[in-house]
Amino acid sequence: VKEAMKSNDPFLGVIKRVSKKFQGRLATLVCSTEPYHMDMIDAGLPKHKFPAIAVHDKLEGRPPESLKYAYVAGVVADDFSQESITAFYSDYLQGKLHPSFKSQPEPEKKWRRGAVMEVVHSMLAKNILGYNHGMDEVVGDVILMAYKNWSPNKDKHNTTMQRLAAILKDTDIVVATFDAYENFFDQQVFQV
């Protein structure tokens, strides 16, 4: 939410009115971007676009990396009307929303056999692991290298992955890389 938000900010007034409607069912925390901007980015919201709204589902018994539900459509379209935020909160309480995760935009260039596939979280969930309810194109066997940009051997491993992709181009095996810093990386699924 906006840094140094003034009490007469129209967004703050909308949030207060919506929060009253959901009192006892949802807690609303309004905070500045400085200390909490990473929480919003981890929820799948665009970087440096505020105000922003996300529900952090911190129910008892859930892991520390609680589920997050981002109001992405409203943030991108700058739609912070009382009606749209109320609909977002209602959809969350009715279980109509899917959790959102930090993900880079999907690559625009089309992948071809013999090349390394660049995978982002949204692709990982629907195309690699098959979590998408509508089931887009699901890839078969995958050799996936997860890395962080500051990894000391990242360039060496990328070269190895490119060679491997060229060797396996006539097979059904996909060679892929995944930036585990810029995208949500579920360490319970991928035990490294």
Side-chain angles (χ1 to χ4, degrees), residues 4 20 37 43 46 58 67 79 84 86 94 100 114 137 142 146 153 162 189:
K20 282 185 181 180
H37 78 280
K58 295 203 179 259
L67 295 176
D79 180 5
S84 62
T86 299
Q94 294 170 20
S100 54
E137 177 185 336
V142 178
N153 295 320
Q162 290 167 355
V189 173

Side-chain angles (χ1 to χ4, degrees), residues 45-64:
L45 289 161
K47 289 182 181 180
H48 312 295
K49 186 131 175 74
F50 294 97
I53 299 172
V55 172
H56 289 244
D57 193 342
K58 295 203 179 259
L59 296 174
E60 288 183 37
R62 290 264 170 95

Side-chain angles (χ1 to χ4, degrees), residues 1-186:
V1 182
K2 285 185 183 174
E3 189 172 349
M5 184 175 281
K6 296 184 173 46
S7 61
N8 62 353
D9 188 308
F11 173 72
L12 190 56
V14 169
I15 286 296
K16 285 181 178 181
R17 287 190 295 280
V18 172
S19 296
K20 282 185 181 180
K21 290 181 182 181
F22 293 94
Q23 194 169 7
R25 296 180 289 159
L26 275 176
T28 300
L29 171 66
V30 176
C31 54
S32 70
T33 60
E34 197 59 37
Y36 297 102
H37 78 280
M38 286 306 293
D39 288 325
M40 299 311 245
I41 292 168
D42 286 344
L45 289 161
K47 289 182 181 180
H48 312 295
K49 186 131 175 74
F50 294 97
I53 299 172
V55 172
H56 289 244
D57 193 342
K58 295 203 179 259
L59 296 174
E60 288 183 37
R62 290 264 170 95
E65 317 81 37
S66 64
L67 295 176
K68 298 168 181 79
Y69 301 83
Y71 182 58
V72 176
V75 171
V76 170
D78 284 325
D79 180 5
F80 294 102
S81 67
Q82 186 170 333
E83 296 77 24
S84 62
I85 296 171
T86 299
F88 171 70
Y89 280 5
S90 294
D91 287 349
Y92 165 74
L93 289 172
Q94 294 170 20
K96 294 180 181 178
L97 300 179
H98 296 288
S100 54
F101 299 94
K102 179 180 179 181
S103 181
Q104 292 174 293
E106 292 188 13
E108 291 182 18
K109 62 182 180 181
K110 189 160 173 82
W111 172 78
R112 59 176 175 63
R113 292 219 169 269
V116 176
M117 177 188 279
E118 181 185 343
V119 176
V120 299
H121 184 271
S122 59
M123 293 168 62
L124 184 69
K126 67 183 179 188
N127 300 103
I128 307 296
L129 299 176
Y131 289 169
N132 188 25
H133 301 290
M135 208 55 102
D136 285 4
E137 177 185 336
V138 176
V139 175
D141 293 328
V142 178
I143 298 172
L144 180 70
M145 178 183 82
Y147 66 91
K148 294 190 178 174
N149 270 329
W150 57 84
S151 301
N153 295 320
K154 182 187 85 158
D155 293 336
K156 178 181 169 186
H157 294 313
N158 275 336
T159 302
T160 302
M161 295 299 276
Q162 290 167 355
R163 288 182 189 148
L164 190 57
I167 292 168
L168 297 173
K169 81 177 191 179
D170 295 326
T171 70
D172 290 334
I173 300 172
V174 174
V175 177
T177 59
F178 179 82
D179 186 331
Y181 177 74
E182 292 294 333
N183 297 279
F184 173 74
F185 185 72
D186 191 340

